[in-house]
Amino acid sequence: MTETRLRFPPSPTGYLHIGGARTALYNWLYAKKTGGKLILRIEDTDAERSTQESIQGILDGMKWLGIDWDEGPYFQTEFESDHEAASKKLLDTGKAYKCFCTKEELDVKREAAQKNKTQYGYDGTCRSLSAEEVAEKEAAGLPFVVRFKVPDQDGEIGYDDKVLGYIKAQYREIEDFVIVRSTGKPLYLLCNVVDDIRDRISHIIRGSDHMTNTIRQVLLYNALDAPVPVFAHMPLTLDTKKAKISKRKHGEIVAVQFYEEKGFIPWALSNFLVLLGWSPGNDTEFFTQDELIEAFSLERINKTNSIFNYQKGNAKFFTDPKAISFNEHYLRTMPIEDIAVMVKPFLEKEDLWDAAYEGDKKEWFLSTLDLTRDRFQMLSDFGDRGRAYFSDEFTVEQKPLKKNVLKHEGLKEWLPMLADRFEALADYNLETTEQTARDLATELDIKPGVIINGMRTVVTGQLAGPSMFDILMAIGQERVVSRLRNVAKLYEV
RNA sequence: GUCCCCAUCGUCUAGUCAGGUCCAGGACACUGGGUUUUCAUCCCAGCAACGCCGGUUCGAAUCCGACUGGGGACGCCA
């Protein structure tokens, strides 16, 4: 058996979006599973829409997700001579012909067909032009496109789709499609096939929106005497209104980069994305990379489109709730050392990073992350809601301020009292601090909760958090004492 | 409109190819409860689906046929 060769051919007309990432993921998974290769090919023939920025965005997105490739990136524009050679070959062998019909003429016919409610297809006006007629028109300088000559016969052409089964179409229903523009530039349909033949692509996994292309491309493979690769059309990802998700329509929510900035763990997103249209056949949902590679198969790709369930304007779920829950799962269960590596850039961004977190303070850093991770959903939360652990400059949220501090006027004196006692503690630990706090509450004849919750708010700025005495250990004696002493400041304003 | 594809909880899906073990399983979300001085984690429970009709069969989510619904493609874009 020859090596499996897959490819991911994005066109650089925008950032990598989650649909594209999912396609890349499937190809990558299958390449890994079969010990094959993944080729990255940038389809930049649409010069007007292709940008350097977009190419970079795609490469960055793939790297962030951990999708590596074995060859490339190749750029389609570098192989224009191949494309031209192929169109010449088709022309020379009589499998394609020059068409001099103008756009305007075709538009008229297209509209007429729409009106008559019949299927539009090129009517073959130029198909039977004689060599002399063609030469004459060319001599007159008339522009022409090259059309593929679809075999003029009854019957059908088909291919065996790995997920959809046998797909067929009647020759009669396929029009003579254009393969070269009047400018002489070959089109996607041709370029794609030529490139895939040259790159010896054995399997093509792509969205089912390509299904009609595939039939025509099979024709092209045959005409070019090349073996037809294995095709697998994966279902599309739709929005809640069942429209194809797109960057233009949905904005940043579909861009991979958005998830990176939001603080997603790359693998959590990948894991979620893969399950949108594929399942292992059992109840397993969380996989390591190796497990997923092992479990993946083309045959288990679904036929049904799936819905990316994100509701615009829902503050609690800024994206698909299940994607968020996957992130929470990984945030909670991954080795804390791995989390630390991913948290670093977020702390740096907030100017909270200390090099000692990788040196002397590493142990403290890891245990602090471990202490707080259960309540967070995104990596960015550590530098945001978790700011008080890393800096003395943090804001106290309004809600806990009112509920846990301002409501109890006495805290203005009680907390500084507590600070004094904490400071006097020879052994500042979980047990002694708790005992100290409870003793104070008893002496003052107030509920311990008043002291504890007030303390949480003053020390962390948050309404909720880990066990109070764990917090006290994480923040440290000195900083706790200082924050408690400054409680009066909160009553001002 | 034409051609093609698809159809199980609100969402992701298992079960369909090889009909009975499915009054349909898991997960997310939601609701309730337990744990928790807070919040969350965690644990338990609940809610909730085979699009419709007909056929085949002792028996249909599963096979067949219509219907309905949804999606995709109909570019000198990729």
Side-chain angles (χ1 to χ4, degrees):
Chain A
M1 165 135 182
T2 52
E3 177 184 62
T4 55
R5 292 175 62 83
L6 291 101
R7 42 61 148 188
F8 177 55
S11 60
T13 56
Y15 288 123
L16 180 62
H17 76 98
I18 54 176
R22 190 177 63 120
T23 305
L25 232 22
Y26 281 26
N27 280 282
W28 175 81
L29 246 15
Y30 194 69
K32 293 281 183 208
K33 190 189 173 75
T34 55
K37 297 256 193 308
L38 178 65
I39 289 99
L40 176 62
R41 191 174 62 225
I42 308 290
E43 310 230 311
D44 55 349
T45 49
D46 188 348
E48 282 175 25
R49 297 198 295 151
S50 299
T51 65
Q52 194 56 44
E53 191 191 11
S54 169
I55 292 172
Q56 199 52 51
I58 289 167
L59 299 184
D60 290 346
M62 288 181 70
K63 277 182 197 150
W64 180 72
L65 280 170
I67 305 174
D68 52 356
W69 54 91
D70 303 288
E71 287 180 29
Y74 297 136
F75 292 87
Q76 194 163 53
T77 44
E78 288 169 9
F79 297 98
E80 282 170 358
S81 59
D82 287 359
H83 309 146
E84 281 155 22
S87 80
K88 185 169 188 303
K89 180 180 171 187
L90 292 173
L91 233 28
D92 290 347
T93 54
K95 287 169 178 163
Y97 61 91
K98 293 174 180 172
C99 168
F100 297 88
C101 296
T102 65
K103 232 175 188 167
E104 291 70 30
E105 288 169 351
L106 297 176
D107 284 345
V108 170
K109 288 178 185 174
R110 209 189 320 265
E111 273 170 41
Q114 293 262 321
K115 225 176 227 169
N116 295 332
K117 300 182 183 198
T118 56
Q119 186 184 10
Y120 170 76
Y122 179 64
D123 60 5
T125 305
C126 297
R127 188 179 171 121
S128 49
L129 251 31
S130 68
E132 291 72 31
E133 286 171 309
V134 171
E136 199 176 289
K137 284 174 186 286
E138 272 195 273
L142 291 178
F144 63 86
V145 299
V146 177
R147 284 182 185 276
F148 181 77
K149 191 182 283 181
V150 175
D152 181 22
Q153 62 186 70
D154 287 324
E156 58 193 36
I157 169 114
Y159 63 94
D160 195 30
D161 191 292
K162 274 291 184 202
V163 349
L164 264 10
Y166 187 71
I167 303 295
K168 58 189 188 304
Q170 302 294 318
Y171 281 111
R172 296 269 177 250
E173 276 154 14
I174 310 169
E175 69 168 325
D176 287 348
F177 52 92
V178 178
I179 54 177
V180 181
R181 293 180 174 89
S182 54
T183 57
K185 291 261 182 250
L187 276 120
Y188 165 80
L189 232 30
L190 211 220
C191 297
N192 198 245
V193 167
V194 169
D195 291 337
D196 284 339
I197 293 172
R198 186 195 55 250
D199 293 335
R200 308 192 321 281
I201 301 303
S202 62
H203 293 69
I204 295 179
I205 307 171
R206 58 181 4 174
S208 61
D209 48 345
H210 279 285
M211 278 212 293
T212 43
N213 285 336
T214 302
I215 277 289
R216 293 182 293 177
Q217 291 187 321
V218 167
L219 251 23
L220 250 18
Y221 277 100
N222 291 156
L224 259 10
D225 299 315
V228 178
V230 174
F231 283 97
H233 287 100
M234 46 197 278
L236 267 18
T237 305
L238 276 22
D239 68 12
T240 47
K241 293 192 191 76
K242 298 194 171 167
K244 220 163 82 163
I245 53 167
S246 67
K247 173 98 187 169
R248 214 185 69 197
K249 200 166 166 190
H250 303 89
E252 60 179 2
I253 195 76
V254 304
V256 166
Q257 203 193 26
F258 172 76
Y259 293 85
E260 180 179 1
E261 285 166 4
K262 273 286 182 180
F264 254 83
I265 292 167
W267 183 248
L269 183 63
S270 296
N271 195 157
F272 165 76
L273 250 20
V274 167
L275 258 21
L276 227 47
W278 175 86
S279 91
N282 54 44
D283 294 337
T284 310
E285 293 203 295
F286 300 114
F287 299 84
T288 62
Q289 267 193 14
D290 287 343
E291 285 166 351
L292 190 57
I293 289 166
E294 171 67 27
F296 190 75
S297 76
L298 260 27
E299 289 75 12
R300 291 210 56 87
I301 294 176
N302 288 146
K303 297 175 177 179
T304 333
N305 293 340
S306 52
I307 291 172
F308 182 68
N309 190 24
Y310 111 94
Q311 324 273 340
K312 213 171 185 162
N314 186 336
K316 189 171 175 192
F317 299 111
F318 67 91
T319 187
D320 192 310
K322 192 148 186 172
I324 293 176
S325 85
F326 269 55
N327 203 56
E328 288 171 338
H329 170 85
Y330 281 106
L331 191 57
R332 255 141 238 172
T333 56
M334 280 178 83
I336 201 67
E337 288 82 5
D338 297 347
I339 298 289
V341 172
M342 294 186 288
V343 167
K344 182 178 175 183
F346 289 94
L347 292 187
E348 285 175 330
K349 209 169 84 188
E350 298 296 329
D351 212 17
L352 295 172
W353 180 252
D354 180 345
Y357 295 159
E358 284 171 345
D360 292 351
K361 296 186 189 165
K362 184 171 179 184
E363 204 181 319
W364 173 83
F365 182 59
L366 294 183
S367 68
T368 300
L369 295 185
D370 198 27
L371 178 66
T372 48
R373 79 211 282 204
D374 275 359
R375 284 158 187 84
F376 293 161
Q377 8 182 245
M378 297 294 140
L379 294 167
S380 53
D381 288 331
F382 290 97
D384 183 359
R385 290 197 279 156
R387 190 178 174 93
Y389 293 88
F390 305 106
S391 167
D392 289 327
E393 277 157 43
F394 59 92
T395 49
V396 175
E397 291 187 349
Q398 282 304 308
K399 198 171 161 191
L401 180 63
K402 283 180 188 149
K403 185 179 169 196
N404 294 333
V405 181
L406 303 184
K407 212 171 108 186
H408 307 282
E409 192 70 24
L411 284 170
K412 206 192 285 188
E413 280 141 34
W414 302 337
L415 259 21
M417 281 170 72
L418 189 60
D420 291 343
R421 296 189 186 192
F422 279 165
E423 191 174 42
L425 242 30
D427 190 8
Y428 175 89
N429 64 37
L430 236 36
E431 290 74 31
T432 56
T433 49
E434 175 155 10
Q435 199 52 55
T436 305
R438 289 190 186 279
D439 287 349
L440 180 64
T442 310
E443 281 175 38
L444 296 168
D445 194 27
I446 53 174
K447 281 192 253 175
V450 173
I451 291 280
I452 291 171
N453 290 326
M455 184 161 48
R456 174 179 288 106
T457 305
V458 171
V459 172
T460 68
Q462 298 284 309
L463 177 63
S467 160
M468 191 57 231
F469 303 98
D470 284 328
I471 295 175
L472 256 21
M473 295 308 110
I475 307 273
Q477 187 170 16
E478 199 181 314
R479 289 196 292 172
V480 166
V481 167
S482 144
R483 288 178 195 183
L484 290 177
R485 274 198 182 127
N486 284 326
V487 64
K489 252 187 357 196
L490 297 176
Y491 287 88
E492 297 160 13
V493 189

Short mmCIF file of all heavy atoms in Angstrom, two decimals, chain A residues 392-424:
data_model
loop_
_atom_site.label_atom_id
_atom_site.label_comp_id
_atom_site.label_asym_id
_atom_site.label_seq_id
_atom_site.Cartn_x
_atom_site.Cartn_y
_atom_site.Cartn_z
N ASP A 392 -0.77 43.74 43.97
CA ASP A 392 -1.51 44.47 44.99
C ASP A 392 -2.46 45.46 44.36
O ASP A 392 -3.30 46.05 45.03
CB ASP A 392 -0.53 45.21 45.91
CG ASP A 392 0.22 44.22 46.79
OD1 ASP A 392 -0.38 43.20 47.16
OD2 ASP A 392 1.41 44.46 47.08
N GLU A 393 -2.30 45.65 43.09
CA GLU A 393 -3.21 46.56 42.40
C GLU A 393 -4.31 45.79 41.70
O GLU A 393 -4.13 45.25 40.61
CB GLU A 393 -2.42 47.40 41.39
CG GLU A 393 -1.76 48.59 42.06
CD GLU A 393 -0.58 49.10 41.27
OE1 GLU A 393 -0.72 49.19 40.03
OE2 GLU A 393 0.46 49.36 41.89
N PHE A 394 -5.43 45.75 42.39
CA PHE A 394 -6.58 45.05 41.81
C PHE A 394 -7.82 45.82 42.24
O PHE A 394 -7.80 46.55 43.23
CB PHE A 394 -6.64 43.61 42.31
CG PHE A 394 -6.76 43.49 43.81
CD1 PHE A 394 -8.01 43.42 44.42
CD2 PHE A 394 -5.61 43.46 44.61
CE1 PHE A 394 -8.12 43.31 45.80
CE2 PHE A 394 -5.73 43.36 45.99
CZ PHE A 394 -6.98 43.29 46.59
N THR A 395 -8.86 45.65 41.48
CA THR A 395 -10.08 46.38 41.84
C THR A 395 -11.02 45.46 42.63
O THR A 395 -11.07 44.26 42.39
CB THR A 395 -10.83 46.88 40.59
OG1 THR A 395 -10.94 45.79 39.68
CG2 THR A 395 -10.08 48.02 39.93
N VAL A 396 -11.71 46.06 43.55
CA VAL A 396 -12.68 45.32 44.35
C VAL A 396 -14.02 45.46 43.64
O VAL A 396 -14.47 46.57 43.35
CB VAL A 396 -12.77 45.89 45.77
CG1 VAL A 396 -13.87 45.18 46.56
CG2 VAL A 396 -11.43 45.76 46.47
N GLU A 397 -14.62 44.34 43.32
CA GLU A 397 -15.88 44.37 42.58
C GLU A 397 -17.01 44.96 43.43
O GLU A 397 -17.05 44.79 44.65
CB GLU A 397 -16.25 42.96 42.11
CG GLU A 397 -15.30 42.46 41.03
CD GLU A 397 -15.73 41.14 40.43
OE1 GLU A 397 -16.65 40.50 40.99
OE2 GLU A 397 -15.15 40.76 39.40
N GLN A 398 -17.89 45.65 42.76
CA GLN A 398 -18.97 46.36 43.43
C GLN A 398 -19.90 45.47 44.26
O GLN A 398 -20.23 45.77 45.41
CB GLN A 398 -19.81 47.12 42.40
CG GLN A 398 -19.16 48.41 41.93
CD GLN A 398 -18.84 49.34 43.10
OE1 GLN A 398 -19.69 49.64 43.93
NE2 GLN A 398 -17.58 49.79 43.16
N LYS A 399 -20.28 44.37 43.66
CA LYS A 399 -21.27 43.50 44.30
C LYS A 399 -20.79 42.99 45.67
O LYS A 399 -21.48 43.18 46.68
CB LYS A 399 -21.62 42.35 43.37
CG LYS A 399 -22.92 41.65 43.73
CD LYS A 399 -23.30 40.67 42.63
CE LYS A 399 -24.29 39.66 43.17
NZ LYS A 399 -24.48 38.55 42.21
N PRO A 400 -19.63 42.37 45.75
CA PRO A 400 -19.15 41.91 47.05
C PRO A 400 -18.82 43.07 47.99
O PRO A 400 -18.93 42.94 49.20
CB PRO A 400 -17.91 41.09 46.71
CG PRO A 400 -17.48 41.56 45.36
CD PRO A 400 -18.73 41.95 44.65
N LEU A 401 -18.42 44.18 47.40
CA LEU A 401 -18.08 45.33 48.23
C LEU A 401 -19.30 45.75 49.03
O LEU A 401 -19.25 45.96 50.24
CB LEU A 401 -17.61 46.49 47.33
CG LEU A 401 -17.21 47.78 48.07
CD1 LEU A 401 -16.02 47.53 48.97
CD2 LEU A 401 -16.90 48.89 47.08
N LYS A 402 -20.43 45.83 48.36
CA LYS A 402 -21.66 46.24 49.04
C LYS A 402 -22.14 45.16 49.99
O LYS A 402 -22.46 45.44 51.15
CB LYS A 402 -22.75 46.50 48.00
CG LYS A 402 -22.57 47.84 47.31
CD LYS A 402 -23.66 48.09 46.30
CE LYS A 402 -23.37 49.33 45.47
NZ LYS A 402 -23.89 49.25 44.10
N LYS A 403 -22.17 43.95 49.49
CA LYS A 403 -22.75 42.85 50.26
C LYS A 403 -21.90 42.42 51.46
O LYS A 403 -22.43 42.14 52.53
CB LYS A 403 -22.95 41.66 49.31
CG LYS A 403 -23.65 40.48 49.95
CD LYS A 403 -23.82 39.36 48.93
CE LYS A 403 -24.26 38.10 49.65
NZ LYS A 403 -24.08 36.90 48.81
N ASN A 404 -20.60 42.38 51.25
CA ASN A 404 -19.74 41.82 52.29
C ASN A 404 -18.93 42.83 53.10
O ASN A 404 -18.38 42.48 54.14
CB ASN A 404 -18.76 40.81 51.69
CG ASN A 404 -19.48 39.60 51.13
OD1 ASN A 404 -20.56 39.25 51.60
ND2 ASN A 404 -18.89 38.98 50.14
N VAL A 405 -18.86 44.05 52.62
CA VAL A 405 -18.04 45.03 53.33
C VAL A 405 -18.87 46.21 53.84
O VAL A 405 -19.05 46.40 55.04
CB VAL A 405 -16.88 45.53 52.45
CG1 VAL A 405 -16.02 46.53 53.23
CG2 VAL A 405 -16.02 44.37 51.98
N LEU A 406 -19.41 46.98 52.90
CA LEU A 406 -20.11 48.20 53.29
C LEU A 406 -21.30 47.95 54.21
O LEU A 406 -21.64 48.77 55.05
CB LEU A 406 -20.57 48.96 52.03
CG LEU A 406 -19.42 49.31 51.07
CD1 LEU A 406 -19.95 50.14 49.90
CD2 LEU A 406 -18.30 50.05 51.79
N LYS A 407 -21.90 46.79 54.04
CA LYS A 407 -23.07 46.46 54.85
C LYS A 407 -22.72 46.36 56.34
O LYS A 407 -23.56 46.57 57.21
CB LYS A 407 -23.65 45.12 54.36
CG LYS A 407 -25.16 45.01 54.52
CD LYS A 407 -25.66 43.77 53.83
CE LYS A 407 -26.08 42.72 54.84
NZ LYS A 407 -26.44 41.44 54.19
N HIS A 408 -21.47 46.02 56.60
CA HIS A 408 -21.03 45.86 57.98
C HIS A 408 -20.03 46.96 58.33
O HIS A 408 -18.84 46.81 58.11
CB HIS A 408 -20.40 44.48 58.19
CG HIS A 408 -21.29 43.37 57.72
ND1 HIS A 408 -22.37 42.92 58.45
CD2 HIS A 408 -21.28 42.62 56.59
CE1 HIS A 408 -22.98 41.94 57.79
NE2 HIS A 408 -22.33 41.75 56.64
N GLU A 409 -20.55 48.00 58.91
CA GLU A 409 -19.72 49.16 59.26
C GLU A 409 -18.57 48.76 60.19
O GLU A 409 -17.46 49.27 60.11
CB GLU A 409 -20.61 50.21 59.96
CG GLU A 409 -19.97 51.57 60.13
CD GLU A 409 -19.79 52.31 58.81
OE1 GLU A 409 -20.55 52.00 57.85
OE2 GLU A 409 -18.90 53.17 58.75
N GLY A 410 -18.84 47.76 61.04
CA GLY A 410 -17.86 47.34 62.03
C GLY A 410 -16.56 46.80 61.44
O GLY A 410 -15.51 46.87 62.08
N LEU A 411 -16.65 46.28 60.22
CA LEU A 411 -15.46 45.68 59.61
C LEU A 411 -14.32 46.68 59.50
O LEU A 411 -13.16 46.30 59.46
CB LEU A 411 -15.81 45.11 58.24
CG LEU A 411 -16.58 43.78 58.24
CD1 LEU A 411 -17.07 43.45 56.84
CD2 LEU A 411 -15.73 42.66 58.79
N LYS A 412 -14.69 47.92 59.46
CA LYS A 412 -13.70 48.97 59.34
C LYS A 412 -12.70 48.88 60.50
O LYS A 412 -11.52 49.19 60.35
CB LYS A 412 -14.41 50.34 59.36
CG LYS A 412 -13.62 51.43 58.64
CD LYS A 412 -14.19 52.82 58.93
CE LYS A 412 -15.48 53.09 58.19
NZ LYS A 412 -15.90 54.51 58.33
N GLU A 413 -13.18 48.44 61.64
CA GLU A 413 -12.26 48.26 62.78
C GLU A 413 -11.86 46.80 62.98
O GLU A 413 -10.75 46.50 63.38
CB GLU A 413 -12.93 48.77 64.06
CG GLU A 413 -12.87 50.27 64.19
CD GLU A 413 -14.17 50.84 64.76
OE1 GLU A 413 -14.78 50.14 65.59
OE2 GLU A 413 -14.59 51.93 64.33
N TRP A 414 -12.79 45.92 62.72
CA TRP A 414 -12.52 44.50 62.96
C TRP A 414 -11.38 43.95 62.10
O TRP A 414 -10.55 43.20 62.57
CB TRP A 414 -13.79 43.66 62.70
CG TRP A 414 -14.95 44.10 63.56
CD1 TRP A 414 -14.88 44.77 64.76
CD2 TRP A 414 -16.34 43.91 63.29
NE1 TRP A 414 -16.13 45.01 65.26
CE2 TRP A 414 -17.07 44.49 64.37
CE3 TRP A 414 -17.06 43.32 62.25
CZ2 TRP A 414 -18.46 44.49 64.43
CZ3 TRP A 414 -18.44 43.31 62.32
CH2 TRP A 414 -19.13 43.90 63.41
N LEU A 415 -11.41 44.31 60.82
CA LEU A 415 -10.39 43.76 59.93
C LEU A 415 -8.98 44.22 60.29
O LEU A 415 -8.05 43.40 60.31
CB LEU A 415 -10.74 44.09 58.46
CG LEU A 415 -11.37 42.95 57.61
CD1 LEU A 415 -12.02 41.85 58.43
CD2 LEU A 415 -12.30 43.50 56.56
N PRO A 416 -8.80 45.50 60.63
CA PRO A 416 -7.46 45.91 61.11
C PRO A 416 -7.07 45.18 62.39
O PRO A 416 -5.89 44.83 62.59
CB PRO A 416 -7.61 47.40 61.36
CG PRO A 416 -8.65 47.83 60.36
CD PRO A 416 -9.64 46.69 60.35
N MET A 417 -8.06 44.90 63.25
CA MET A 417 -7.76 44.12 64.46
C MET A 417 -7.24 42.74 64.07
O MET A 417 -6.27 42.23 64.63
CB MET A 417 -9.05 43.93 65.28
CG MET A 417 -9.45 45.14 66.11
SD MET A 417 -11.13 44.91 66.79
CE MET A 417 -10.81 43.67 68.03
N LEU A 418 -7.93 42.18 63.10
CA LEU A 418 -7.54 40.86 62.62
C LEU A 418 -6.13 40.91 62.02
O LEU A 418 -5.31 40.01 62.23
CB LEU A 418 -8.54 40.36 61.58
CG LEU A 418 -8.41 38.92 61.12
CD1 LEU A 418 -8.56 37.95 62.27
CD2 LEU A 418 -9.43 38.61 60.03
N ALA A 419 -5.86 41.99 61.32
CA ALA A 419 -4.54 42.17 60.71
C ALA A 419 -3.46 42.13 61.78
O ALA A 419 -2.43 41.47 61.62
CB ALA A 419 -4.50 43.48 59.93
N ASP A 420 -3.71 42.85 62.88
CA ASP A 420 -2.73 42.86 63.97
C ASP A 420 -2.47 41.46 64.50
O ASP A 420 -1.34 41.08 64.75
CB ASP A 420 -3.24 43.74 65.12
CG ASP A 420 -3.26 45.22 64.72
OD1 ASP A 420 -2.59 45.56 63.71
OD2 ASP A 420 -3.96 46.00 65.39
N ARG A 421 -3.56 40.74 64.64
CA ARG A 421 -3.40 39.39 65.19
C ARG A 421 -2.69 38.45 64.22
O ARG A 421 -1.89 37.62 64.63
CB ARG A 421 -4.77 38.79 65.55
CG ARG A 421 -5.43 39.60 66.66
CD ARG A 421 -6.65 38.95 67.20
NE ARG A 421 -7.32 39.86 68.15
CZ ARG A 421 -8.30 39.47 68.95
NH1 ARG A 421 -8.73 38.22 68.93
NH2 ARG A 421 -8.84 40.33 69.78
N PHE A 422 -2.99 38.62 62.94
CA PHE A 422 -2.30 37.80 61.94
C PHE A 422 -0.81 38.12 61.94
O PHE A 422 0.04 37.26 61.83
CB PHE A 422 -2.86 38.07 60.53
CG PHE A 422 -4.14 37.32 60.24
CD1 PHE A 422 -4.95 37.69 59.15
CD2 PHE A 422 -4.53 36.24 61.02
CE1 PHE A 422 -6.11 37.01 58.87
CE2 PHE A 422 -5.72 35.54 60.73
CZ PHE A 422 -6.51 35.93 59.66
N GLU A 423 -0.54 39.40 62.09
CA GLU A 423 0.85 39.84 62.05
C GLU A 423 1.63 39.27 63.23
O GLU A 423 2.80 38.93 63.12
CB GLU A 423 0.91 41.37 62.09
CG GLU A 423 2.29 41.92 61.78
CD GLU A 423 2.27 43.44 61.69
OE1 GLU A 423 1.60 44.07 62.54
OE2 GLU A 423 2.90 43.98 60.78
N ALA A 424 0.92 39.17 64.36
CA ALA A 424 1.56 38.68 65.58
C ALA A 424 1.75 37.16 65.57
O ALA A 424 2.44 36.60 66.42
CB ALA A 424 0.73 39.09 66.79
#
